Amino acid sequence: MASSPARGGKPGRTLLRQEVAEGIKRYILEERLRPGDALPTEPALCEALGASRSSVREAVKILDALDIVEVRHGHGTYVGRLSLSALVESLTFRGLLSPGDDFQVLADLVDVRELFERGMADRIISLLRPADLDRLDALVADMRGTDAHAGDGFVTADRTFHALLVAPLGNDLIGQLSMAFWDVYAIVAPHLDGFTHADETATIAAHQAVVDAARGGDTAGFVKALGEHYAPVRRRISEARGS
C-alpha cells in the first residue's frame, strides 16, 4: 500500500469496525481512488490498520452497504459507485415503518424533485434533444391510453417521463433523488385517495405542456406546467395527512 489508511495505529491492535471503516475511507481519499479502482487485499488492510481480519471484514460490510466499496467475490474489493442507494433505502424503509412519516417523506420528496426540475428548467430545456422530446411525447401518449386506476402502467409512464426529463443533466444525485420519490410513492400510494378522473386528465395535460414548452424553449411555460403537475399530488398528500 502506498500509504497507511490509519495513521498512528499500533500493529496488532484490534480496532472497532467503525474505526477501521474510517481508515479505509481515508485511504481511498488519500490515494485519490475512483469508482472501480481496486483496494488492497484483506491481509494488507489488516497489517496497515493493525486490525484483526474480523474487524476488517465487518468494516468492509458496512462500507459495502453504503456503496462506498464493492465486494466482488473471487476478485477482491473495489471502490464502489458511491451512489445514493443507502439514502433511498432509508427513505423507503422509513415510509414502511410509520404511517405518519411516510406522508412527510413523500411531501419532502415532492418539494425536492420540483425544486430540481424548476430550478434547472433552462438547462433541461437546452439539453433535451429532439429524440428525447419525441420519447417524452410517446410517454404522454402511453398515459393517455392507460387508466390510472387499472394497474401500474400510468405510474410507470409518469416515472419514466421524469427520469428522462432530468437524464440529460448527467447528475446522478438529481436522478437518484427523483427515483427515490417513486420508490416511496409506491409505498404510500395505496394510502392516498382522491385521484379523480379530472386529476388524471389534468396530469396528462400538464405532462404534455411540459414537453410542448421544452420543445418551444418556453421556460416560463415549462415551470408553470410543472406546478400544475404537482398540484394534485400535493392536494392528495395534504388530505391524507389531515384525515
Side-chain angles (χ1 to χ4, degrees):
M1 292 173 65
S3 64
S4 172
R7 295 174 181 170
K10 296 179 180 180
R13 176 187 173 191
T14 301
L15 301 177
L16 295 173
R17 59 184 181 181
Q18 193 60 48
E19 291 181 89
V20 179
E22 290 300 318
I24 295 172
K25 286 159 58 177
R26 187 159 50 249
Y27 174 80
I28 292 171
L29 293 174
E30 289 176 351
E31 294 301 305
R32 300 181 181 275
L33 300 183
R34 308 297 300 169
D37 289 347
L39 287 171
T41 63
E42 185 178 279
L45 284 173
C46 291
E47 180 180 354
L49 291 165
S52 68
R53 180 165 291 188
S54 62
S55 293
V56 169
R57 286 179 177 172
E58 289 176 358
V60 167
K61 286 180 181 178
I62 292 172
L63 298 177
D64 187 34
L66 295 172
D67 208 16
I68 293 175
V69 305
E70 177 187 358
V71 177
R72 302 177 190 173
H73 296 290
H75 296 281
T77 303
Y78 298 78
V79 180
R81 294 174 299 128
L82 308 177
S83 70
L84 292 178
S85 58
L87 172 62
V88 172
E89 286 292 327
S90 67
L91 286 172
T92 53
F93 191 63
R94 178 180 166 190
L96 283 169
L97 280 177
S98 170
D101 275 355
D102 56 10
F103 297 128
Q104 184 60 52
V105 171
L106 186 59
D108 291 346
L109 284 170
V110 170
D111 287 341
V112 171
R113 199 179 75 169
E114 185 176 7
L115 178 64
F116 284 149
E117 293 177 350
R118 289 167 63 98
M120 306 191 80
D122 285 327
R123 284 190 60 197
I124 291 173
I125 290 172
S126 68
L127 291 171
L128 285 171
R129 301 165 301 176
D132 296 326
L133 294 167
D134 290 343
R135 288 180 62 196
L136 291 170
D137 268 328
L139 288 166
V140 176
D142 288 345
M143 294 173 69
R144 284 199 188 93
T146 305
D147 185 347
H149 299 283
D152 58 1
F154 188 94
V155 171
T156 298
D158 197 345
R159 186 185 199 277
T160 306
F161 182 99
H162 288 276
L164 179 58
L165 195 66
V166 299
L169 294 172
N171 188 311
D172 288 341
L173 176 63
I174 292 175
Q176 290 180 59
L177 283 175
S178 182
M179 292 306 95
F181 167 87
W182 291 105
D183 292 334
V184 176
Y185 182 83
I187 295 169
V188 181
H191 306 289
L192 292 177
D193 298 320
F195 190 71
T196 65
H197 179 69
D199 288 335
E200 179 179 339
T201 301
T203 298
I204 294 170
H207 281 80
Q208 187 63 65
V210 166
V211 182
D212 293 343
R215 198 181 290 277
D218 179 6
T219 301
F222 184 91
V223 170
K224 180 175 182 290
L226 286 174
E228 292 171 349
H229 165 52
Y230 288 113
V233 181
R234 293 184 188 281
R235 175 183 59 77
R236 294 170 67 207
I237 294 172
S238 177
E239 290 175 354
R241 295 176 67 180
S243 60

PDB file of all heavy atoms in Angstrom, residues 19-48:
ATOM      1  N   GLU A  19     -13.945   2.395  13.305  1.00  0.00           N
ATOM      2  CA  GLU A  19     -12.618   2.999  13.141  1.00  0.00           C
ATOM      3  C   GLU A  19     -11.925   2.450  11.902  1.00  0.00           C
ATOM      4  O   GLU A  19     -11.277   3.186  11.153  1.00  0.00           O
ATOM      5  CB  GLU A  19     -11.758   2.722  14.371  1.00  0.00           C
ATOM      6  CG  GLU A  19     -12.195   3.437  15.635  1.00  0.00           C
ATOM      7  CD  GLU A  19     -11.264   3.112  16.800  1.00  0.00           C
ATOM      8  OE1 GLU A  19     -10.263   3.837  16.955  1.00  0.00           O
ATOM      9  OE2 GLU A  19     -11.534   2.137  17.514  1.00  0.00           O
ATOM     10  N   VAL A  20     -12.072   1.146  11.700  1.00  0.00           N
ATOM     11  CA  VAL A  20     -11.473   0.519  10.523  1.00  0.00           C
ATOM     12  C   VAL A  20     -12.134   1.055   9.258  1.00  0.00           C
ATOM     13  O   VAL A  20     -11.459   1.355   8.259  1.00  0.00           O
ATOM     14  CB  VAL A  20     -11.608  -1.017  10.594  1.00  0.00           C
ATOM     15  CG1 VAL A  20     -10.999  -1.657   9.342  1.00  0.00           C
ATOM     16  CG2 VAL A  20     -10.933  -1.563  11.842  1.00  0.00           C
ATOM     17  N   ALA A  21     -13.439   1.205   9.304  1.00  0.00           N
ATOM     18  CA  ALA A  21     -14.159   1.740   8.152  1.00  0.00           C
ATOM     19  C   ALA A  21     -13.669   3.147   7.820  1.00  0.00           C
ATOM     20  O   ALA A  21     -13.463   3.498   6.649  1.00  0.00           O
ATOM     21  CB  ALA A  21     -15.663   1.747   8.418  1.00  0.00           C
ATOM     22  N   GLU A  22     -13.462   3.954   8.861  1.00  0.00           N
ATOM     23  CA  GLU A  22     -12.956   5.312   8.637  1.00  0.00           C
ATOM     24  C   GLU A  22     -11.546   5.274   8.053  1.00  0.00           C
ATOM     25  O   GLU A  22     -11.183   6.104   7.208  1.00  0.00           O
ATOM     26  CB  GLU A  22     -12.957   6.098   9.948  1.00  0.00           C
ATOM     27  CG  GLU A  22     -14.345   6.445  10.474  1.00  0.00           C
ATOM     28  CD  GLU A  22     -15.143   7.287   9.490  1.00  0.00           C
ATOM     29  OE1 GLU A  22     -14.549   8.206   8.887  1.00  0.00           O
ATOM     30  OE2 GLU A  22     -16.343   7.028   9.341  1.00  0.00           O
ATOM     31  N   GLY A  23     -10.737   4.308   8.495  1.00  0.00           N
ATOM     32  CA  GLY A  23      -9.385   4.172   7.946  1.00  0.00           C
ATOM     33  C   GLY A  23      -9.400   3.810   6.477  1.00  0.00           C
ATOM     34  O   GLY A  23      -8.611   4.338   5.682  1.00  0.00           O
ATOM     35  N   ILE A  24     -10.310   2.928   6.088  1.00  0.00           N
ATOM     36  CA  ILE A  24     -10.423   2.545   4.678  1.00  0.00           C
ATOM     37  C   ILE A  24     -10.889   3.731   3.842  1.00  0.00           C
ATOM     38  O   ILE A  24     -10.367   3.987   2.747  1.00  0.00           O
ATOM     39  CB  ILE A  24     -11.386   1.349   4.518  1.00  0.00           C
ATOM     40  CG1 ILE A  24     -10.804   0.102   5.205  1.00  0.00           C
ATOM     41  CG2 ILE A  24     -11.650   1.059   3.041  1.00  0.00           C
ATOM     42  CD1 ILE A  24     -11.763  -1.079   5.263  1.00  0.00           C
ATOM     43  N   LYS A  25     -11.850   4.487   4.356  1.00  0.00           N
ATOM     44  CA  LYS A  25     -12.328   5.678   3.636  1.00  0.00           C
ATOM     45  C   LYS A  25     -11.205   6.695   3.476  1.00  0.00           C
ATOM     46  O   LYS A  25     -11.054   7.310   2.409  1.00  0.00           O
ATOM     47  CB  LYS A  25     -13.511   6.297   4.379  1.00  0.00           C
ATOM     48  CG  LYS A  25     -14.807   5.509   4.249  1.00  0.00           C
ATOM     49  CD  LYS A  25     -15.804   5.826   5.343  1.00  0.00           C
ATOM     50  CE  LYS A  25     -16.183   7.260   5.419  1.00  0.00           C
ATOM     51  NZ  LYS A  25     -17.212   7.493   6.476  1.00  0.00           N
ATOM     52  N   ARG A  26     -10.420   6.850   4.531  1.00  0.00           N
ATOM     53  CA  ARG A  26      -9.304   7.800   4.467  1.00  0.00           C
ATOM     54  C   ARG A  26      -8.285   7.359   3.413  1.00  0.00           C
ATOM     55  O   ARG A  26      -7.733   8.179   2.676  1.00  0.00           O
ATOM     56  CB  ARG A  26      -8.647   7.901   5.852  1.00  0.00           C
ATOM     57  CG  ARG A  26      -7.573   8.987   5.943  1.00  0.00           C
ATOM     58  CD  ARG A  26      -7.324   9.403   7.379  1.00  0.00           C
ATOM     59  NE  ARG A  26      -7.091   8.267   8.267  1.00  0.00           N
ATOM     60  CZ  ARG A  26      -7.941   7.881   9.226  1.00  0.00           C
ATOM     61  NH1 ARG A  26      -9.098   8.516   9.401  1.00  0.00           N
ATOM     62  NH2 ARG A  26      -7.652   6.858  10.012  1.00  0.00           N
ATOM     63  N   TYR A  27      -8.048   6.055   3.335  1.00  0.00           N
ATOM     64  CA  TYR A  27      -7.121   5.537   2.333  1.00  0.00           C
ATOM     65  C   TYR A  27      -7.621   5.851   0.924  1.00  0.00           C
ATOM     66  O   TYR A  27      -6.850   6.281   0.054  1.00  0.00           O
ATOM     67  CB  TYR A  27      -6.947   4.021   2.500  1.00  0.00           C
ATOM     68  CG  TYR A  27      -6.116   3.399   1.408  1.00  0.00           C
ATOM     69  CD1 TYR A  27      -4.731   3.476   1.432  1.00  0.00           C
ATOM     70  CD2 TYR A  27      -6.724   2.757   0.330  1.00  0.00           C
ATOM     71  CE1 TYR A  27      -3.965   2.927   0.419  1.00  0.00           C
ATOM     72  CE2 TYR A  27      -5.964   2.211  -0.694  1.00  0.00           C
ATOM     73  CZ  TYR A  27      -4.588   2.296  -0.643  1.00  0.00           C
ATOM     74  OH  TYR A  27      -3.847   1.759  -1.657  1.00  0.00           O
ATOM     75  N   ILE A  28      -8.906   5.642   0.698  1.00  0.00           N
ATOM     76  CA  ILE A  28      -9.483   5.923  -0.628  1.00  0.00           C
ATOM     77  C   ILE A  28      -9.267   7.380  -1.013  1.00  0.00           C
ATOM     78  O   ILE A  28      -8.903   7.698  -2.154  1.00  0.00           O
ATOM     79  CB  ILE A  28     -10.989   5.574  -0.637  1.00  0.00           C
ATOM     80  CG1 ILE A  28     -11.190   4.059  -0.511  1.00  0.00           C
ATOM     81  CG2 ILE A  28     -11.664   6.083  -1.916  1.00  0.00           C
ATOM     82  CD1 ILE A  28     -12.635   3.641  -0.300  1.00  0.00           C
ATOM     83  N   LEU A  29      -9.467   8.273  -0.032  1.00  0.00           N
ATOM     84  CA  LEU A  29      -9.298   9.702  -0.301  1.00  0.00           C
ATOM     85  C   LEU A  29      -7.830  10.067  -0.524  1.00  0.00           C
ATOM     86  O   LEU A  29      -7.495  10.810  -1.459  1.00  0.00           O
ATOM     87  CB  LEU A  29      -9.871  10.521   0.859  1.00  0.00           C
ATOM     88  CG  LEU A  29     -11.390  10.458   1.051  1.00  0.00           C
ATOM     89  CD1 LEU A  29     -11.794  11.189   2.333  1.00  0.00           C
ATOM     90  CD2 LEU A  29     -12.111  11.061  -0.146  1.00  0.00           C
ATOM     91  N   GLU A  30      -6.962   9.538   0.337  1.00  0.00           N
ATOM     92  CA  GLU A  30      -5.545   9.871   0.230  1.00  0.00           C
ATOM     93  C   GLU A  30      -4.937   9.361  -1.070  1.00  0.00           C
ATOM     94  O   GLU A  30      -4.071  10.019  -1.665  1.00  0.00           O
ATOM     95  CB  GLU A  30      -4.784   9.297   1.426  1.00  0.00           C
ATOM     96  CG  GLU A  30      -5.085  10.002   2.746  1.00  0.00           C
ATOM     97  CD  GLU A  30      -4.379   9.344   3.918  1.00  0.00           C
ATOM     98  OE1 GLU A  30      -3.792   8.253   3.735  1.00  0.00           O
ATOM     99  OE2 GLU A  30      -4.422   9.930   5.028  1.00  0.00           O
ATOM    100  N   GLU A  31      -5.381   8.201  -1.506  1.00  0.00           N
ATOM    101  CA  GLU A  31      -4.849   7.621  -2.749  1.00  0.00           C
ATOM    102  C   GLU A  31      -5.595   8.112  -3.984  1.00  0.00           C
ATOM    103  O   GLU A  31      -5.269   7.724  -5.110  1.00  0.00           O
ATOM    104  CB  GLU A  31      -4.912   6.096  -2.673  1.00  0.00           C
ATOM    105  CG  GLU A  31      -3.995   5.487  -1.620  1.00  0.00           C
ATOM    106  CD  GLU A  31      -2.541   5.853  -1.857  1.00  0.00           C
ATOM    107  OE1 GLU A  31      -2.043   5.601  -2.977  1.00  0.00           O
ATOM    108  OE2 GLU A  31      -1.904   6.383  -0.921  1.00  0.00           O
ATOM    109  N   ARG A  32      -6.600   8.954  -3.779  1.00  0.00           N
ATOM    110  CA  ARG A  32      -7.389   9.520  -4.879  1.00  0.00           C
ATOM    111  C   ARG A  32      -7.948   8.414  -5.782  1.00  0.00           C
ATOM    112  O   ARG A  32      -7.909   8.502  -7.012  1.00  0.00           O
ATOM    113  CB  ARG A  32      -6.556  10.511  -5.702  1.00  0.00           C
ATOM    114  CG  ARG A  32      -6.037  11.696  -4.891  1.00  0.00           C
ATOM    115  CD  ARG A  32      -5.247  12.667  -5.742  1.00  0.00           C
ATOM    116  NE  ARG A  32      -4.746  13.759  -4.963  1.00  0.00           N
ATOM    117  CZ  ARG A  32      -5.425  14.880  -4.669  1.00  0.00           C
ATOM    118  NH1 ARG A  32      -6.666  15.005  -5.098  1.00  0.00           N
ATOM    119  NH2 ARG A  32      -4.873  15.831  -3.940  1.00  0.00           N
ATOM    120  N   LEU A  33      -8.465   7.384  -5.147  1.00  0.00           N
ATOM    121  CA  LEU A  33      -9.040   6.279  -5.905  1.00  0.00           C
ATOM    122  C   LEU A  33     -10.393   6.688  -6.469  1.00  0.00           C
ATOM    123  O   LEU A  33     -11.100   7.528  -5.904  1.00  0.00           O
ATOM    124  CB  LEU A  33      -9.189   5.037  -5.020  1.00  0.00           C
ATOM    125  CG  LEU A  33      -7.893   4.472  -4.416  1.00  0.00           C
ATOM    126  CD1 LEU A  33      -8.193   3.207  -3.623  1.00  0.00           C
ATOM    127  CD2 LEU A  33      -6.882   4.168  -5.524  1.00  0.00           C
ATOM    128  N   ARG A  34     -10.744   6.073  -7.568  1.00  0.00           N
ATOM    129  CA  ARG A  34     -12.000   6.368  -8.247  1.00  0.00           C
ATOM    130  C   ARG A  34     -12.886   5.131  -8.230  1.00  0.00           C
ATOM    131  O   ARG A  34     -12.407   4.012  -7.998  1.00  0.00           O
ATOM    132  CB  ARG A  34     -11.732   6.785  -9.702  1.00  0.00           C
ATOM    133  CG  ARG A  34     -10.712   7.906  -9.871  1.00  0.00           C
ATOM    134  CD  ARG A  34     -11.171   9.187  -9.231  1.00  0.00           C
ATOM    135  NE  ARG A  34     -12.413   9.668  -9.797  1.00  0.00           N
ATOM    136  CZ  ARG A  34     -13.152  10.655  -9.279  1.00  0.00           C
ATOM    137  NH1 ARG A  34     -12.764  11.226  -8.150  1.00  0.00           N
ATOM    138  NH2 ARG A  34     -14.267  11.039  -9.851  1.00  0.00           N
ATOM    139  N   PRO A  35     -14.184   5.280  -8.454  1.00  0.00           N
ATOM    140  CA  PRO A  35     -15.061   4.107  -8.531  1.00  0.00           C
ATOM    141  C   PRO A  35     -14.501   3.062  -9.489  1.00  0.00           C
ATOM    142  O   PRO A  35     -14.108   3.384 -10.607  1.00  0.00           O
ATOM    143  CB  PRO A  35     -16.377   4.696  -9.048  1.00  0.00           C
ATOM    144  CG  PRO A  35     -16.379   6.086  -8.502  1.00  0.00           C
ATOM    145  CD  PRO A  35     -14.940   6.540  -8.606  1.00  0.00           C
ATOM    146  N   GLY A  36     -14.437   1.832  -9.007  1.00  0.00           N
ATOM    147  CA  GLY A  36     -13.911   0.741  -9.823  1.00  0.00           C
ATOM    148  C   GLY A  36     -12.464   0.401  -9.541  1.00  0.00           C
ATOM    149  O   GLY A  36     -11.981  -0.670  -9.937  1.00  0.00           O
ATOM    150  N   ASP A  37     -11.728   1.295  -8.863  1.00  0.00           N
ATOM    151  CA  ASP A  37     -10.321   1.012  -8.519  1.00  0.00           C
ATOM    152  C   ASP A  37     -10.259  -0.046  -7.410  1.00  0.00           C
ATOM    153  O   ASP A  37     -11.098  -0.071  -6.510  1.00  0.00           O
ATOM    154  CB  ASP A  37      -9.610   2.281  -8.047  1.00  0.00           C
ATOM    155  CG  ASP A  37      -9.357   3.261  -9.174  1.00  0.00           C
ATOM    156  OD1 ASP A  37      -9.502   2.871 -10.346  1.00  0.00           O
ATOM    157  OD2 ASP A  37      -9.009   4.425  -8.870  1.00  0.00           O
ATOM    158  N   ALA A  38      -9.224  -0.876  -7.476  1.00  0.00           N
ATOM    159  CA  ALA A  38      -9.073  -1.962  -6.506  1.00  0.00           C
ATOM    160  C   ALA A  38      -8.497  -1.451  -5.192  1.00  0.00           C
ATOM    161  O   ALA A  38      -7.647  -0.556  -5.173  1.00  0.00           O
ATOM    162  CB  ALA A  38      -8.179  -3.049  -7.077  1.00  0.00           C
ATOM    163  N   LEU A  39      -8.977  -2.024  -4.093  1.00  0.00           N
ATOM    164  CA  LEU A  39      -8.417  -1.765  -2.775  1.00  0.00           C
ATOM    165  C   LEU A  39      -7.386  -2.839  -2.454  1.00  0.00           C
ATOM    166  O   LEU A  39      -7.364  -3.897  -3.092  1.00  0.00           O
ATOM    167  CB  LEU A  39      -9.522  -1.789  -1.721  1.00  0.00           C
ATOM    168  CG  LEU A  39     -10.470  -0.582  -1.712  1.00  0.00           C
ATOM    169  CD1 LEU A  39     -11.636  -0.844  -0.773  1.00  0.00           C
ATOM    170  CD2 LEU A  39      -9.736   0.677  -1.289  1.00  0.00           C
ATOM    171  N   PRO A  40      -6.513  -2.591  -1.466  1.00  0.00           N
ATOM    172  CA  PRO A  40      -5.542  -3.622  -1.067  1.00  0.00           C
ATOM    173  C   PRO A  40      -6.256  -4.899  -0.614  1.00  0.00           C
ATOM    174  O   PRO A  40      -7.440  -4.878  -0.259  1.00  0.00           O
ATOM    175  CB  PRO A  40      -4.796  -2.962   0.089  1.00  0.00           C
ATOM    176  CG  PRO A  40      -4.973  -1.502  -0.128  1.00  0.00           C
ATOM    177  CD  PRO A  40      -6.333  -1.337  -0.722  1.00  0.00           C
ATOM    178  N   THR A  41      -5.536  -5.970  -0.595  1.00  0.00           N
ATOM    179  CA  THR A  41      -6.093  -7.243  -0.153  1.00  0.00           C
ATOM    180  C   THR A  41      -6.436  -7.179   1.331  1.00  0.00           C
ATOM    181  O   THR A  41      -5.950  -6.300   2.059  1.00  0.00           O
ATOM    182  CB  THR A  41      -5.093  -8.382  -0.379  1.00  0.00           C
ATOM    183  OG1 THR A  41      -3.939  -8.131   0.429  1.00  0.00           O
ATOM    184  CG2 THR A  41      -4.710  -8.490  -1.850  1.00  0.00           C
ATOM    185  N   GLU A  42      -7.235  -8.112   1.777  1.00  0.00           N
ATOM    186  CA  GLU A  42      -7.621  -8.151   3.190  1.00  0.00           C
ATOM    187  C   GLU A  42      -6.409  -8.262   4.116  1.00  0.00           C
ATOM    188  O   GLU A  42      -6.326  -7.518   5.102  1.00  0.00           O
ATOM    189  CB  GLU A  42      -8.592  -9.315   3.426  1.00  0.00           C
ATOM    190  CG  GLU A  42      -9.140  -9.377   4.839  1.00  0.00           C
ATOM    191  CD  GLU A  42     -10.125 -10.518   4.994  1.00  0.00           C
ATOM    192  OE1 GLU A  42     -11.299 -10.338   4.599  1.00  0.00           O
ATOM    193  OE2 GLU A  42      -9.725 -11.588   5.506  1.00  0.00           O
ATOM    194  N   PRO A  43      -5.428  -9.144   3.837  1.00  0.00           N
ATOM    195  CA  PRO A  43      -4.244  -9.204   4.714  1.00  0.00           C
ATOM    196  C   PRO A  43      -3.481  -7.887   4.755  1.00  0.00           C
ATOM    197  O   PRO A  43      -2.982  -7.480   5.808  1.00  0.00           O
ATOM    198  CB  PRO A  43      -3.409 -10.317   4.089  1.00  0.00           C
ATOM    199  CG  PRO A  43      -4.402 -11.193   3.393  1.00  0.00           C
ATOM    200  CD  PRO A  43      -5.421 -10.242   2.839  1.00  0.00           C
ATOM    201  N   ALA A  44      -3.412  -7.201   3.592  1.00  0.00           N
ATOM    202  CA  ALA A  44      -2.703  -5.925   3.553  1.00  0.00           C
ATOM    203  C   ALA A  44      -3.428  -4.877   4.386  1.00  0.00           C
ATOM    204  O   ALA A  44      -2.800  -4.069   5.085  1.00  0.00           O
ATOM    205  CB  ALA A  44      -2.551  -5.455   2.109  1.00  0.00           C
ATOM    206  N   LEU A  45      -4.747  -4.875   4.338  1.00  0.00           N
ATOM    207  CA  LEU A  45      -5.520  -3.938   5.148  1.00  0.00           C
ATOM    208  C   LEU A  45      -5.336  -4.233   6.636  1.00  0.00           C
ATOM    209  O   LEU A  45      -5.181  -3.323   7.451  1.00  0.00           O
ATOM    210  CB  LEU A  45      -7.011  -4.019   4.778  1.00  0.00           C
ATOM    211  CG  LEU A  45      -7.436  -3.342   3.471  1.00  0.00           C
ATOM    212  CD1 LEU A  45      -8.895  -3.667   3.159  1.00  0.00           C
ATOM    213  CD2 LEU A  45      -7.240  -1.830   3.535  1.00  0.00           C
ATOM    214  N   CYS A  46      -5.341  -5.509   6.976  1.00  0.00           N
ATOM    215  CA  CYS A  46      -5.147  -5.893   8.384  1.00  0.00           C
ATOM    216  C   CYS A  46      -3.809  -5.393   8.912  1.00  0.00           C
ATOM    217  O   CYS A  46      -3.710  -4.837  10.011  1.00  0.00           O
ATOM    218  CB  CYS A  46      -5.224  -7.415   8.523  1.00  0.00           C
ATOM    219  SG  CYS A  46      -6.865  -8.123   8.255  1.00  0.00           S
ATOM    220  N   GLU A  47      -2.778  -5.566   8.095  1.00  0.00           N
ATOM    221  CA  GLU A  47      -1.435  -5.165   8.513  1.00  0.00           C
ATOM    222  C   GLU A  47      -1.327  -3.654   8.631  1.00  0.00           C
ATOM    223  O   GLU A  47      -0.794  -3.121   9.617  1.00  0.00           O
ATOM    224  CB  GLU A  47      -0.405  -5.692   7.520  1.00  0.00           C
ATOM    225  CG  GLU A  47       1.032  -5.325   7.890  1.00  0.00           C
ATOM    226  CD  GLU A  47       2.042  -5.868   6.894  1.00  0.00           C
ATOM    227  OE1 GLU A  47       1.641  -6.617   5.982  1.00  0.00           O
ATOM    228  OE2 GLU A  47       3.229  -5.526   7.033  1.00  0.00           O
ATOM    229  N   ALA A  48      -1.831  -2.941   7.646  1.00  0.00           N
ATOM    230  CA  ALA A  48      -1.712  -1.485   7.645  1.00  0.00           C
ATOM    231  C   ALA A  48      -2.532  -0.845   8.757  1.00  0.00           C
ATOM    232  O   ALA A  48      -2.126   0.160   9.350  1.00  0.00           O
ATOM    233  CB  ALA A  48      -2.136  -0.936   6.289  1.00  0.00           C
TER     234      ALA A  48
END
